[in-house]
């Protein structure tokens, strides 16, 4: 699990900070809306896996906006995986 905070969307990108579960450290992620390519800072102790999970959370948010399931961008979001 991780938490996306400070989610912001512009014309070409969506970005946020993410905090891994049971951590007080955060990192930043930026995702291109059109290509869905992302650039994520890694938190040394957690590696790149959490950056990929954060990207998936932002992609899910974009898909919900596009489908109408979500009307506006949230400022925070919890991302869970199984």
């Amino acid at each position: 699990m991780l938490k996306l905070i400070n989610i912001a969307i512009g014309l070409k990108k969506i970005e946020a900070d993410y905090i891994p579960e049971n951590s007080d450290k955060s990192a930043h992620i930026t995702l291109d809306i059109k290509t869905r390519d992302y650039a994520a800072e890694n938190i040394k102790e957690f590696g790149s896996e959490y950056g990929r999970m954060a990207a998936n959370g932002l992609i899910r948010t974009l898909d919900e906006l596009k489908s109408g399931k979500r009307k506006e961008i949230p400022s925070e979001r919890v991302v869970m995986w199984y």
Side-chain angles (χ1 to χ4, degrees):
M1 180 179 85
L2 66 83
K3 187 174 188 178
L4 293 170
I5 60 171
N6 305 321
I7 303 170
I9 192 167
L11 294 175
K12 296 183 178 185
K13 64 181 179 176
I14 184 171
E15 59 188 308
D17 297 316
Y18 70 91
I19 304 169
E21 183 176 19
N22 300 321
S23 176
D24 60 351
K25 297 182 181 181
S26 67
H28 192 75
I29 182 166
T30 303
L31 181 112
D32 184 289
I33 292 172
K34 186 175 181 178
T35 66
R36 297 191 173 188
D37 291 334
Y38 69 91
E41 297 173 349
N42 291 327
I43 300 171
K44 186 178 178 181
E45 302 85 64
F46 295 95
S48 63
E49 182 177 338
Y50 282 81
R52 288 190 299 271
M53 295 297 175
N56 288 335
L58 291 178
I59 289 168
R60 193 173 312 127
T61 300
L62 288 173
D63 290 345
E64 290 170 355
L65 287 167
K66 185 177 180 180
S67 73
K69 181 178 179 182
R70 186 178 290 276
K71 300 295 182 206
E72 58 187 44
I73 195 83
S75 61
E76 296 184 354
R77 179 177 188 144
V78 174
V79 178
M80 311 235 347
W81 60 88
Y82 303 94

